[in-house]
Amino acid sequence: MMLQRILQLKPNVRSLKTVSRYAYSSQAVTKQAIPEETSDIATFKVGEKIHGFSVKDIQKISEFNVTAICLLHDATKAEYLHLYRNDNNNVFSVNFRTTPMDSTGLPHILEHTVLCGSQLYPVRDPFFKMLNRSLATFMNAMTGSDFTMYPFSTQNYSDYRNLQKIYLDAAFRPNLNQTDFMQEGWRLENVDPKDKNTDLIIKGVVYNEMKGAFSENESILQQKLQNVILPDHTYGVCSGGDPLKIPDLTWEALKQFHKDHYHPSNCRIYSYGNFPLIPTLEYVNSEYLRKFEYQNPKHTVVPSQARWDKPKKEHVLCRFENMREPFEQQNSLTIAYLMNDITDIYETFLLQFVTELLIKGPNAPFYKSLIEPNISGGFTPSTGFDSQQRDTIFALGLQGLKVENFEKIEKLFDETIDSVIASGFQEQHIESVLHRYELGLKHESANFGLNLLFGLTPTWNHNGDLIMQLRCNDLIDKLKNQMKANPSYLQNVVKKYFKDNNHRLVLTMSPDKEYEQKQVNAEKELISSKVKPLSDQNKEEIFKKCLQLSEEQAKIDNTSILPTLSMNDISSEVPRVMKDKKKVGPVPTQVFKVDTNGITYFRGILSTSQLSPEQQMMLPLLSYVITKLGTDSLNYRDFDSLVNRKTAGLGVQTHIGDSLYQLHSYEPGLLISSYCLNHNIDYMWDLWSQIFNLSELKDVARFEMLVKLYMSNLTHGVADSGHLYAMLAAQGLVSGVAYQKDLLTGLEHISYMKRLVKTSNFTAILTELTNVAKILFDKNNLRCSLNILPENDLQSFEDFVNKLPGNSMNQAESAYTTTKIWAPTDSVNCHHHVLNVPVNYCSKSILTVPYTHQDYSKLQVLSKLCTSKFLHPELREKQGAYGGGLKLSMDGVLSFYSYRDPQNTQTLDTFDNTAKWLTDNLSNITEQEVLEAKLGVFQGVDSPVPPGAKGLNEFLYGLDTDILQRHRAALMAVNIEGLKQVTENYLINCDISKTGKVVLGPKNMDTTDRAEELWTVVENE
Ligand SMILES: [Zn+2]
């Protein structure tokens, strides 16, 4: 599904798209989980008044095991939705409808600035300070195109109440100081803030963030698409802020926007989980809502977009991306339609369904007509149905195009619509999309309450019926009945929304080699237009104001007024999952018995240790194509159809399991995974059997197309995840494990694939992949894990395993590989990867110790401490990078990083200065500060795990309960002495051969003056 870009306060630390999609987390819960009976849900009655609220509606939603309570605040008409579910991972959020009418980034800069201090908590940046005084499982703030939301989640009740106070006070009573506005929004400042004779430039967190955001062409495309197809109101502007318009924003306008939009009458409050509701209602009312009077929110209402009477065309320019296709092939074309009103719940559901039918998988009409002719690099990521705004949008984009194909694609698109209207969709294709919906309702994700919130927010923002949206079974039933009653029902829908819809936009985009230079020139002009009118006295004032800002940034806050958790809030015990270990034939199998809601979760790891290094390099490509080429008995369309009618899909990906005991050591493998409803279990085993028994991969034409799609996916979004690529590349300079990951998932993999495609023919590659598959898909290479209900048996699994081929002599257990990758050197190994974007991603890595070493937990705590006390203030607040910090990877590498960073060498110096900062400051670090760093670590350790993923880290990495328990005890025991010791051992007396640096960013970085460093420039063309 297409999701409009939503800007977040904290960078989303996502994994690389080719890295394991399962988050690394262990299973543990925090204390004070409120048992079910303390929820006060049963005391609510419709019509009742409580703490200023009226209970409007109470509904049980059986598909989610949820009871929804809708409340309305009598005086202000603030809406409150509580979703009770017996889930510890409670959520709270305050949402506002924010509808700017210009592109100065008002709602986005306000979102940042309200979190810089409030009446109750007048400290700088309580949001970031609370990140380490809490056990939140999620904490962020987001700006969409017409809403701003402040959600968090936690499993701990005191934490829940603490964070609630911070969030509510920030939203309703922020300080909005001028220096906060300057820091977060924009300011003119001397290049050297200490020298008033240096040039003035523009700085600011959001200013830089947006420059970074628009360094992705995909963002330019999405923004333009929304602006053009919804031109008349708030969607015609950029809510995040256009970097060239942000400097038109004044502090006064920001304060006024807060008054107009952050009012209870324009507010929607959400809570979810099993904590009691009444104390929250009482607090919200007595501290905030009852102090306001009703203010009609009519100024934030977004009208429906007037429909066009004829289609439109637009063309935009974008950046040339040096890692992607050749210049002539970097064009894209998007065909978009304005669809229905989002508050028409059933229609939104129906159009989402029809979009999936049209687009998804090899049986979809648009896949057949537009992807299979192999004239593009596949669909753009924004392809799909977008129900984030008042009016929904269908968009289909193709990337990697030559301009001469534009016309042909439009023609093919229209012909496809005509043929769907004439002959409809295939029965089995409809069945597979419906099946996916039904399975989706049973499968539980890790952040269930947050996902419900994100799904409901756009509808709620326009006063849609939330109960109706939650009743998915009713929507599915209605759809089925309609299709039964009228065989051409779906055809009529397609005719109405496509063929007869004049609100159609064809948006084309082409790269421009001058794009970057034009941006630079525009920024220069902007600065000179700001600087020219300034008198000497004005300049003096600017200089002083900026000095004031940097003094405030350097000041040590009295954070003791902020609430905090203590070590007592953390359970010292790691909970155990019911587990069996057994061998099924030669296959070691772990069985986790959990409440899976009627689903069987399967995972297998195929050891790849017997492959040659060259064969290993092909694993990511093999993973991508192996389930997409058909099998001996089914062609790829029929195979895909069966997969989607019976399972949630077959996953294959490379697995590099870090050793817990030894540096440079890892388990190389291929992770296969799938899940299905219990009654489809035999189908699921049959599908995997077909993959294990593949005798030949031979459809070269289809393979060629898949490779093109793979390459296009691979090189997409490098800038968006630039910090992850830079970190992995830097880690790869010092760790054998990380080097292997970089080869298979990082920048090294991208350049390998480019070489492979250039120099080999497709028949030869496919033959080699067949050979690799035949070696690997063998039960003697396999170990498995199953998550099933306690009452389920293993009969069908045993039958499946027994029939698998078993020719290999391999032993799947203990198949670890160790590689050392460097020779001693007298300079730090450094790589500058060229990426033509206007921001940098810097990283420095230091090799330390494996996970089970006694120093590992100390280094984890040290990383958190350095991030919050030194790196975040230096890199984000002073230097204007969007994010930055220090992390410890599982293979024992300390990784410094910066995200969307205007600097490069200066940042590397900051990384290097961390050791000195620690030497100077560790003695003054308080117990509370150590505690905060520990809490920061525990947030990751104790994040919630859904039933389908319980035991996963034990299966993937051998992290069993005993190891987790020891690690937990070690973490709790970390003290200042320990931090001093690891600072001394790993940061101060750091061995040059164990250090690496990487900068990913624009060329011409000045590395000449950097002592003891050996830089290699990698062009990535
Ligand atoms: Zn932001």
Side-chain angles (χ1 to χ4, degrees):
M1 185 173 70
M2 165 161 152
L3 265 182
Q4 202 63 39
R5 171 169 290 265
I6 294 177
L7 297 152
Q8 309 192 328
L9 187 66
K10 264 198 310 168
N12 219 350
V13 184
R14 283 175 300 170
S15 51
L16 296 185
K17 51 190 165 291
T18 41
V19 170
S20 163
R21 75 189 115 106
Y22 306 104
Y24 159 58
S25 61
S26 59
Q27 329 120 26
V29 286
T30 50
K31 275 186 194 166
Q32 294 199 22
I34 297 268
E36 187 168 6
E37 57 270 26
T38 64
S39 162
D40 47 17
I41 184 81
T43 64
F44 285 83
K45 310 242 165 353
V46 175
E48 189 186 41
K49 291 196 184 297
I50 178 161
H51 296 303
F53 288 89
S54 295
V55 183
K56 291 288 172 190
D57 198 7
I58 301 178
Q59 296 283 336
K60 278 201 161 43
I61 317 286
S62 58
E63 40 271 74
F64 297 118
N65 288 320
V66 156
T67 302
I69 304 188
C70 306
L71 302 118
L72 187 70
H73 189 254
D74 297 325
T76 62
K77 299 201 170 15
E79 293 181 40
Y80 194 117
L81 174 68
H82 178 70
L83 298 181
Y84 163 76
R85 189 162 178 269
N86 192 21
D87 180 349
N88 283 336
N89 194 19
N90 285 253
V91 181
F92 183 80
S93 181
V94 185
N95 295 9
F96 299 99
R97 188 162 59 210
T98 45
T99 50
M101 296 305 284
D102 63 45
S103 295
T104 57
L106 266 167
H108 185 194
I109 293 169
L110 184 59
E111 171 228 297
H112 280 244
T113 317
V114 302
L115 292 166
C116 287
S118 65
Q119 263 181 44
L120 272 183
Y121 307 105
V123 292
R124 287 190 42 262
D125 226 345
F127 176 85
F128 277 98
K129 297 204 164 78
M130 279 310 288
L131 284 175
N132 295 310
R133 300 167 80 92
S134 148
L135 285 167
T137 52
F138 182 89
M139 241 181 117
N140 215 334
M142 293 113 159
T143 307
S145 52
D146 59 3
F147 61 81
T148 308
M149 63 196 292
Y150 297 87
F152 71 81
S153 64
T154 178
Q155 304 172 90
N156 179 293
Y157 187 60
S158 356
D159 200 24
Y160 181 77
R161 300 306 306 274
N162 289 347
L163 291 171
Q164 220 169 43
K165 285 180 187 164
I166 306 271
Y167 269 54
L168 285 164
D169 208 57
F172 290 112
R173 285 193 302 229
N175 289 338
L176 301 181
N177 293 329
Q178 189 183 11
T179 40
D180 299 334
F181 169 68
M182 290 164 64
Q183 175 182 295
E184 297 297 321
W186 74 278
R187 64 185 182 274
L188 279 173
E189 187 175 285
N190 295 94
V191 173
D192 176 357
K194 294 190 189 77
D195 180 357
K196 60 181 144 191
N197 296 318
T198 54
D199 287 345
L200 286 165
I201 54 167
I202 298 173
K203 294 184 188 173
V205 171
V206 171
Y207 180 74
N208 282 319
E209 181 190 343
M210 293 314 293
K211 269 169 66 176
F214 288 119
S215 63
E216 275 288 345
N217 285 341
E218 183 65 22
S219 304
I220 299 174
L221 180 71
Q222 283 187 13
Q223 187 64 50
K224 189 74 184 172
L225 177 65
Q226 183 202 295
N227 291 161
V228 178
I229 204 164
L230 289 162
D232 291 353
H233 200 265
T234 191
Y235 309 122
V237 304
C238 173
S239 68
D242 174 344
L244 295 175
K245 297 283 164 55
I246 288 173
D248 291 340
L249 182 62
T250 62
W251 178 40
E252 284 70 28
L254 186 87
K255 289 186 285 188
Q256 190 58 46
F257 194 84
H258 179 264
K259 269 205 191 97
D260 296 341
H261 292 78
Y262 282 36
H263 188 282
S265 305
N266 191 42
C267 167
R268 291 164 182 84
I269 306 175
Y270 171 88
S271 56
Y272 162 92
N274 59 4
F275 292 158
L277 173 59
I278 295 171
T280 296
L281 294 178
E282 182 182 7
Y283 187 78
V284 168
N285 178 56
S286 67
E287 291 299 314
Y288 298 98
L289 300 193
R290 71 177 183 84
K291 297 176 181 170
F292 289 84
E293 278 171 18
Y294 177 68
Q295 169 188 297
N296 189 331
K298 58 180 192 288
H299 56 292
T300 68
V301 172
V302 187
S304 180
Q305 168 68 42
R307 297 309 198 253
W308 299 341
D309 49 21
K310 57 176 192 299
K312 290 190 183 172
K313 287 195 178 189
E314 280 267 348
H315 185 72
V316 283
L317 296 175
C318 64
R319 193 169 265 112
F320 166 63
E321 296 182 85
N322 61 324
M323 286 200 190
R324 306 202 73 183
E325 298 91 347
F327 184 79
E328 312 70 52
Q329 261 169 270
Q330 284 200 11
N331 306 281
S332 75
L333 178 144
T334 302
I335 300 177
Y337 290 92
L338 203 63
M339 308 295 266
N340 70 312
D341 189 312
I342 190 178
T343 59
D344 189 341
I345 305 291
Y346 172 73
E347 205 75 354
T348 304
F349 168 78
L350 171 67
L351 290 169
Q352 170 75 51
F353 179 77
V354 169
T355 302
E356 288 202 29
L357 281 175
L358 285 168
I359 288 170
K360 216 167 170 190
N363 290 293
F366 280 129
Y367 187 97
K368 291 180 190 170
S369 67
L370 293 174
I371 300 297
E372 295 199 337
N374 200 14
I375 48 178
S376 73
F379 292 130
T380 57
S382 54
T383 294
F385 185 67
D386 174 7
S387 53
Q388 291 281 307
Q389 299 89 8
R390 171 70 200 265
D391 292 288
T392 67
I393 301 168
F394 168 93
L396 182 151
L398 288 174
Q399 56 190 348
L401 291 174
K402 291 183 179 153
V403 173
E404 68 235 41
N405 283 326
F406 281 177
E407 224 168 289
K408 182 175 171 185
I409 286 162
E410 268 193 79
K411 196 163 154 278
L412 285 172
F413 182 97
D414 293 335
E415 285 169 7
T416 311
I417 290 296
D418 286 339
S419 96
V420 170
I421 293 170
S423 42
F425 297 99
Q426 290 165 337
E427 205 60 45
Q428 290 195 336
H429 186 44
I430 295 175
E431 196 190 310
S432 67
V433 177
L434 277 174
H435 171 261
R436 205 158 43 227
Y437 282 26
E438 286 166 30
L439 188 55
L441 286 176
K442 294 218 153 213
H443 169 71
E444 190 171 322
S445 60
N447 290 308
F448 195 79
L450 273 172
N451 290 341
L452 285 177
L453 169 67
F454 295 143
L456 293 172
T457 290
T459 317
W460 197 8
N461 202 39
H462 302 291
N463 303 322
D465 185 339
L466 302 183
I467 301 295
M468 192 170 167
Q469 189 180 344
L470 286 167
R471 292 204 187 284
C472 298
N473 286 339
D474 289 357
L475 296 170
I476 294 173
D477 287 346
K478 181 171 176 185
L479 173 65
K480 284 180 177 168
N481 290 335
Q482 298 278 18
M483 290 191 293
K484 211 183 280 169
N486 177 2
S488 34
Y489 178 66
L490 294 176
Q491 285 140 277
N492 295 343
V493 173
V494 173
K495 181 164 184 300
K496 176 180 171 190
Y497 283 99
F498 292 88
K499 184 84 176 170
D500 300 341
N501 184 353
N502 281 324
H503 203 113
R504 157 170 159 148
L505 170 68
V506 177
L507 181 62
T508 48
M509 187 163 84
S510 297
D512 174 7
K513 286 207 165 144
E514 306 295 306
Y515 188 87
E516 192 57 52
Q517 195 51 49
K518 287 178 189 164
Q519 297 290 316
V520 172
N521 294 344
E523 189 183 23
K524 270 188 196 150
E525 263 172 50
L526 175 70
I527 294 172
S528 87
S529 78
K530 295 278 168 200
V531 173
K532 233 180 214 157
L534 298 176
S535 63
D536 285 349
Q537 196 193 338
N538 294 144
K539 288 184 185 167
E540 183 68 27
E541 281 161 16
I542 287 170
F543 175 69
K544 283 192 178 144
K545 202 80 204 165
C546 290
L547 278 186
Q548 186 196 333
L549 173 64
S550 55
E551 275 162 27
E552 283 180 25
Q553 285 171 334
K555 210 168 65 195
I556 292 164
D557 267 321
N558 173 22
T559 51
S560 63
I561 54 169
L562 290 173
T564 183
L565 293 182
S566 72
M567 227 40 206
N568 292 330
D569 288 308
I570 297 175
S571 162
S572 53
E573 292 295 312
V574 177
R576 287 163 197 270
V577 188
M578 240 213 306
K579 180 184 75 180
D580 279 342
K581 265 192 172 180
K582 59 183 342 185
K583 264 200 164 184
V584 177
V587 179
T589 303
Q590 300 182 8
V591 183
F592 299 97
K593 305 235 165 157
V594 283
D595 180 7
T596 61
N597 204 13
I599 295 178
T600 294
Y601 292 89
F602 163 72
R603 292 182 185 89
I605 287 176
L606 290 158
S607 170
T608 59
S609 56
Q610 69 275 43
L611 298 182
S612 70
E614 189 60 23
Q615 287 172 325
Q616 296 266 4
M617 294 295 283
M618 300 182 92
L619 288 172
L621 182 60
L622 177 70
S623 307
Y624 182 75
V625 301
I626 186 93
T627 57
K628 297 185 179 70
L629 287 164
T631 61
D632 291 9
S633 52
L634 293 175
N635 68 37
Y636 66 87
R637 284 196 217 284
D638 293 341
F639 187 75
D640 186 81
S641 172
L642 193 61
V643 165
N644 282 302
R645 278 179 290 132
K646 303 300 179 188
T647 75
L650 305 184
V652 183
Q653 63 195 106
T654 48
H655 163 76
I656 295 164
D658 317 68
S659 163
L660 303 175
Y661 303 95
Q662 202 186 337
L663 294 176
H664 311 298
S665 179
Y666 60 95
E667 177 195 35
L670 212 54
L671 173 65
I672 60 176
S673 61
S674 60
Y675 61 88
C676 68
L677 296 170
N678 284 350
H679 65 82
N680 285 328
I681 188 86
D682 289 327
Y683 288 102
M684 184 165 87
W685 300 138
D686 173 58
L687 289 161
W688 280 119
S689 298
Q690 294 194 39
I691 297 292
F692 271 80
N693 287 297
L694 277 170
S695 57
E696 200 184 356
L697 301 170
K698 56 188 171 201
D699 188 344
V700 180
R702 178 162 169 82
F703 175 65
E704 195 171 336
M705 181 202 87
L706 290 172
V707 172
K708 201 165 165 188
L709 296 181
Y710 179 74
M711 293 305 291
S712 183
N713 277 335
L714 191 63
T715 51
H716 178 83
V718 172
D720 223 24
S721 306
H723 60 317
L724 300 172
Y725 284 99
M727 281 162 89
L728 191 53
Q731 289 163 6
L733 296 172
V734 299
S735 154
V737 183
Y739 181 62
Q740 188 66 15
K741 287 180 185 168
D742 195 26
L743 281 179
L744 296 189
T745 67
L747 295 169
E748 288 286 347
H749 176 61
I750 296 177
S751 49
Y752 166 80
M753 281 305 300
K754 283 183 164 177
R755 282 198 308 275
L756 183 75
V757 173
K758 235 180 245 169
T759 54
S760 306
N761 75 60
F762 289 96
T763 314
I765 303 174
L766 196 55
T767 308
E768 183 58 13
L769 288 183
T770 306
N771 292 339
V772 174
K774 280 195 165 156
I775 299 171
L776 291 185
F777 283 87
D778 185 302
K779 67 179 164 191
N780 293 327
N781 296 330
L782 182 66
R783 60 187 188 87
C784 292
S785 116
L786 291 165
N787 285 26
I788 54 174
L789 289 167
E791 62 264 30
N792 288 156
D793 64 39
L794 291 183
Q795 194 53 53
S796 70
F797 174 71
E798 286 168 8
D799 294 346
F800 157 67
V801 169
N802 288 334
K803 285 188 209 133
L804 290 178
N807 308 312
S808 162
M809 301 299 282
N810 197 50
Q811 283 291 323
E813 273 172 308
S814 70
Y816 278 74
T817 301
T818 303
T819 353
K820 280 211 189 233
I821 52 144
W822 76 86
T825 50
D826 52 9
S827 44
V828 176
N829 206 353
C830 304
H831 285 177
H832 173 32
H833 286 271
V834 176
L835 185 70
N836 53 346
V837 293
V839 285
N840 301 282
Y841 303 89
C842 308
S843 184
K844 171 185 175 179
S845 57
I846 300 171
L847 185 67
T848 63
V849 292
Y851 183 87
T852 48
H853 190 281
Q854 56 187 6
D855 288 345
Y856 189 88
S857 48
K858 298 172 199 163
L859 287 161
Q860 267 184 307
V861 176
L862 189 76
S863 303
K864 287 283 172 190
L865 186 82
C866 291
T867 301
S868 64
K869 296 285 162 203
F870 179 65
L871 294 164
H872 178 86
E874 289 293 320
L875 299 174
R876 178 162 167 134
E877 292 172 8
K878 295 188 192 162
Q879 194 172 298
Y882 186 35
L886 178 59
K887 280 178 176 299
L888 181 63
S889 66
M890 227 176 131
D891 57 329
V893 184
L894 275 175
S895 287
F896 294 85
Y897 68 97
S898 71
Y899 184 62
R900 288 186 189 158
D901 187 349
Q903 304 291 338
N904 42 47
T905 49
Q906 191 186 327
T907 300
L908 296 175
D909 292 339
T910 303
F911 294 163
D912 291 341
N913 290 337
T914 307
K916 178 168 177 353
W917 179 84
L918 282 166
T919 314
D920 296 346
N921 291 280
L922 261 186
S923 303
N924 304 323
I925 294 289
T926 62
E927 289 292 327
Q928 172 63 26
E929 285 167 324
V930 177
L931 169 73
E932 289 177 15
K934 285 190 202 176
L935 287 173
V937 177
F938 274 106
Q939 283 169 6
V941 171
D942 285 351
S943 61
V945 182
K950 289 223 190 294
L952 181 59
N953 287 316
E954 177 166 356
F955 177 65
L956 294 180
Y957 307 106
L959 278 168
D960 64 24
T961 317
D962 294 337
I963 293 174
L964 290 173
Q965 189 66 59
R966 278 199 294 278
H967 177 240
R968 196 173 189 83
L971 266 179
M972 290 182 141
V974 172
N975 57 21
I976 293 177
E977 286 316 306
L979 297 179
K980 283 184 182 164
Q981 173 236 319
V982 291
T983 299
E984 184 77 27
N985 288 2
Y986 303 100
L987 285 151
I988 295 170
N989 301 321
C990 171
D991 181 348
I992 273 179
S993 69
K994 292 183 177 177
T995 307
K997 288 179 184 170
V998 164
V999 172
L1000 175 63
K1003 211 175 168 175
N1004 303 324
M1005 183 185 120
D1006 185 17
T1007 56
T1008 43
D1009 292 338
R1010 304 193 62 78
E1012 296 191 320
E1013 293 180 3
L1014 182 66
W1015 283 86
T1016 310
V1017 178
V1018 189
E1019 294 282 352
N1020 293 308
E1021 297 235 332

